[in-house]
Every structure is written in C-alpha cells, then in structure tokens.
Amino acid sequence: MAGSGQARTVAHPGTAGRLALLGHALLLSLASTVGAVLCCLWIAAVVLVPFGLGLPMTLLCAVAVRRFADRHRQWAARRLGAPIARPYLPTPPGNRLTQLQAVLRDPASWRDCAWLLVNSVSCWFTSGLSLILFLAGLFYSGYPLLVAVTPSEVFREPFGFFAVHGLGQALLVALAGPLLLAAWYLSGEWLAKLNAHVAHALLAPTDKAELLARVDELTDSRADVVDAGASELRRIERDLHDGAQARLVSLGMSLGLADRFADDPETVRRLLAEARASTADALAELRDLVRGIHPPVLADRGLDGAVQALALANPVPTEVAIRLPGRLPAPVESAAYFVIAEALANAIKHAGASRIRIGVEFAHPPVRTTGELMITVADDGHGGARIDDGGGLHGVARRLAAFDGILTLDSPDGGPTEVRMSLPCVWS
C-alpha cells in the first residue's frame, strides 16, 4: 500500500509458476482473438445506432466489453502487484437511450475499444510469443523421435528452414529444443509483465479521471464529516440538556427549598444532601461527556495507553500488540481510539467472540516522516459481519474517510472476523 513504507519482496516463480504462466498465456492468446471479434461487434453496433438498429446491441456489447476488460484488469493487477481501478463514470438512471449516451460519452469506453485492438496484436508478441517458444521447444526436443517413427518424407524440413537427412542431423536439430525451452523459461515472467503493462496503460484510469474521482471522493468524505460533526453536536446538546442541565436544575430547586425551610434544620440537611448528590451526578455526567469527546487517558497516556485501558475494561479477553515510534498527531490518535472502540463494541455485541486481538502499528519509510497507521481488530466469533448503512462499521468507515483512511472487512460466515483499518498520518 502506498505510503506504508514496507519493503515488498518480489518472488521469482519456479517451474510450477512458469507452467501456470503458460496456461495464462494460452488463455490470453485465445482471449485476444475473442476481444478482436468483440471490438468489431462494438464498432458495428455503434455505426448502426443512427439507423435505430444498434441500440440494444451497443448496450449489450458495452456490458460484455467492460466485463472482459475487468477480467484483464484483475489478471494484470496480480502480475503487477497493484490493483487497477475501474475507470468508468457512473451510469445515470433512465431509459436505454440515456444509458447509451452515457456509455458513448465515457472516454473509458473508447479506451477499452482501443485496448481490444491493441491487445489483439500485442498479446501475440507477449503471451503468444511465450506460448510459441514453449511449443517450439517441445517440438524440437522431440524431433528425433518424430523422425524415427514417421515416414522419411514427413519431417524433412522443420518449419521450412533446412532439409534433414537421417537421424544424425535430426539429433543436431534437437539441440534447438533446450535452447527454446530455456528462452521460454527465462522470458515467461517478463513477457507476462509486459502484457500486464500494456493492459495497465489502456485499462487504468487516466490522471484526469483519477483526479475527478478523487474530487468526488473528497466531496463525499467532506459531506460525511459535516454530517458527523452536526450529529456529534446534537448528541452533546442532548446529553447536556437531559443530563447535566437536569441535575443543575434539581440542585437549584434543592437549594431554593433549603432557603425556604431555613427554620427546619432536619429538612435543610436532607435538601443539602440531595444537592450534594445532584452535584456529584452532574460532575459524573459531565466527566462522561468529556470522555466521549476526548478521553483523558488518550491525552495523558497516548494511543498505546488508551488502547490498553480499553482492553482491560473489555469483558472479553483481549490481546493487544502495539508498535508505535512515539506520539501521533492528536486528531489521528483520537480517530484511531474511537474506531478501535467501535470495532471492539461490535465484536462484543454481535460476534459472540471468546477472544479478541488488537494490533496497532505505524509503518513509514526510513527517510520520510509520512507513513500509515495500520490497525487490526480480530475476533474468533461466528463471523458474518457486514458494512451496512447505519451500522457501527459504516460509522467507522465514515470516520476513517475523513482522514483518507480505508476499512477492509474479512468476515466469512462461521468466522473468524478481521477488521483492518489504515490511517495516513505524519509521525511527530
């Protein structure tokens, strides 16, 4: 992940990996032919649109092209080790004509068409070349056997290069087999990555598209932050009105009654005791309110101590592993504390877990101060967690989005559940 500062080890595939690449080369070579046919159908459908004949066909081809391109994005992402985002603009609601206009106006649709044409040629110089090297290597390696078991006139000129007379010359031809297999073995990974780079160049979003998507994302996150801030203000107002304010009103009434019954010491003592109790309750509620805004333990002991305190107060046995180089910025610490608290609350309420594990780590490059706070909350519960609108994890995702953070959920039915969160931040 960008900005994490973690070294990435590139593993060179062995023979099994090369054979898997060979299978992919065969599939990609065949798919390039299918892509060329699909591109021709797409162009023909678009040409027929003005005549009123190509509307359904164009929409159908658009869906097929995008699914075809998505599969290639996934394959290229695995080869390059980085995801390739879908570059398409949202399709507006409406009739087929409205949807067709949106598809035709989307630059990504025409870049897909260009990729189909380019891929139908370039794939044979990348994946296809790898497949040809392998098949030719097998052919030449077994050439003496073919000469021995077939009539003499069948394998006289291998691939039309030169005539072969006798088994001795066939053995000399067979030397080309290991050389071609070695070329395939050494170039297979490189050719596969070259094909992936070609796909990335045409199927990945352009800089302009990424900028527009980023603007939309920031607009949405800003709206979420504004909504969350307004909701938090309403919560504070409600807590003050229903809690501390009511206690203070009760305190004032008790003091007023004490003044009225000044001649009755017993009643005055009772009213003063009620006033002291109201004062204590008001202070406790104010303290809880302040703790909900910014916990004192977070200010005093930092994120490490605050998370340890959460784990100690948790009724489910909780293991904590924290590796931090020092204090992080206060807003980041506060956001991290509350997302961990919310993830813990979800695990306790819904997961039925017997053990919970919290991991917090700050990863950064050795020569830079920018990095990423990685948070993991895992439990051994029954799983099946979802990020639903209005749910606790949806609130966590919204809080993270305000900091350009990401939430990833892995919770298969039957468990276990792992919530992974990342927060870009600066080490102070």
Side-chain angles (χ1 to χ4, degrees), residues 194-210:
L194 181 60
N195 189 18
H197 280 295
V198 173
H200 182 274
L202 289 172
L203 295 181
T206 61
D207 292 341
K208 181 179 179 180
E210 287 185 337

Side-chain angles (χ1 to χ4, degrees), residues 293-315:
I293 299 172
H294 190 79
V297 67
L298 189 60
D300 297 339
R301 299 170 54 190
L303 184 60
D304 191 344
V307 173
Q308 295 286 355
L310 275 177
L312 290 174
N314 193 5

Side-chain angles (χ1 to χ4, degrees), residues 105-421:
R105 289 174 180 173
D106 191 346
S109 299
W110 300 106
R111 294 181 76 235
D112 282 352
C113 186
W115 166 75
L116 289 173
L117 292 175
V118 171
N119 185 66
S120 63
V121 177
S122 66
C123 190
W124 290 100
F125 290 94
T126 53
S127 299
L129 179 58
S130 178
L131 183 64
I132 291 171
L133 287 174
F134 178 79
L135 294 177
L138 289 182
F139 175 79
Y140 279 117
S141 296
Y143 194 77
L145 179 62
L146 294 174
V147 171
V149 300
T150 58
S152 58
E153 67 275 6
V154 175
F155 288 103
R156 290 289 303 275
E157 298 181 6
F159 294 106
F161 294 150
F162 48 83
V164 175
H165 303 284
L167 188 58
Q169 290 186 358
L171 290 173
L172 292 176
V173 172
L175 294 177
L179 294 177
L180 291 172
L181 289 175
W184 160 76
Y185 189 86
L186 295 175
S187 65
E189 175 71 11
W190 180 81
L191 289 172
K193 285 190 175 181
L194 181 60
N195 189 18
H197 280 295
V198 173
H200 182 274
L202 289 172
L203 295 181
T206 61
D207 292 341
K208 181 179 179 180
E210 287 185 337
L211 181 59
L212 291 174
R214 182 63 177 153
V215 169
D216 292 339
E217 180 183 342
L218 290 176
T219 301
D220 293 339
S221 65
R222 184 184 64 180
D224 287 341
V225 170
V226 171
D227 291 342
S231 177
E232 188 69 10
L233 286 175
R234 288 193 297 269
R235 182 188 71 82
I236 295 172
E237 180 185 7
R238 185 174 61 251
D239 290 347
L240 285 173
H241 181 272
D242 298 340
Q245 179 177 315
R247 299 294 182 187
L248 292 175
V249 170
S250 175
L251 172 63
M253 293 177 63
S254 297
L255 292 177
L257 289 173
D259 184 59
R260 180 180 302 178
F261 293 98
D263 296 335
D264 188 351
E266 186 64 30
T267 302
V268 170
R269 280 195 295 271
R270 180 174 57 81
L271 292 173
L272 290 177
E274 292 178 359
R276 283 194 298 269
S278 296
T279 303
D281 291 341
L283 287 174
E285 291 182 358
L286 286 173
R287 193 177 297 113
D288 291 339
L289 181 62
V290 171
R291 187 178 295 113
I293 299 172
H294 190 79
V297 67
L298 189 60
D300 297 339
R301 299 170 54 190
L303 184 60
D304 191 344
V307 173
Q308 295 286 355
L310 275 177
L312 290 174
N314 193 5
V316 178
T318 304
E319 174 188 349
V320 178
I322 299 180
R323 287 188 292 177
L324 297 175
R327 292 298 297 266
L328 299 171
V332 174
E333 283 192 336
S334 179
Y337 174 84
F338 283 111
V339 298
I340 292 173
E342 183 63 36
L344 273 179
N346 274 276
I348 296 168
K349 288 185 207 175
H350 308 296
S354 60
R355 294 196 66 82
I356 298 176
R357 177 175 52 83
I358 303 174
V360 181
E361 181 180 5
F362 182 78
H364 61 91
V367 296
R368 295 173 58 191
T369 57
T370 56
E372 202 159 22
L373 184 64
M374 312 297 296
I375 303 170
T376 304
V377 179
D379 65 71
D380 60 355
H382 50 67
R386 300 291 182 269
I387 305 177
D388 298 323
D389 289 345
L393 290 178
H394 181 257
V396 170
R398 288 180 58 183
R399 187 184 288 268
L400 290 172
F403 293 85
D404 205 17
I406 300 173
L407 182 144
T408 306
L409 176 65
D410 183 9
S411 181
D413 291 334
T417 296
E418 185 174 80
V419 181
R420 295 182 293 274
M421 298 164 279

Side-chain angles (χ1 to χ4, degrees), residues 91-103:
T91 302
N95 55 31
R96 289 185 176 180
L97 182 59
T98 302
Q99 295 177 354
L100 176 63
Q101 290 175 346
V103 169

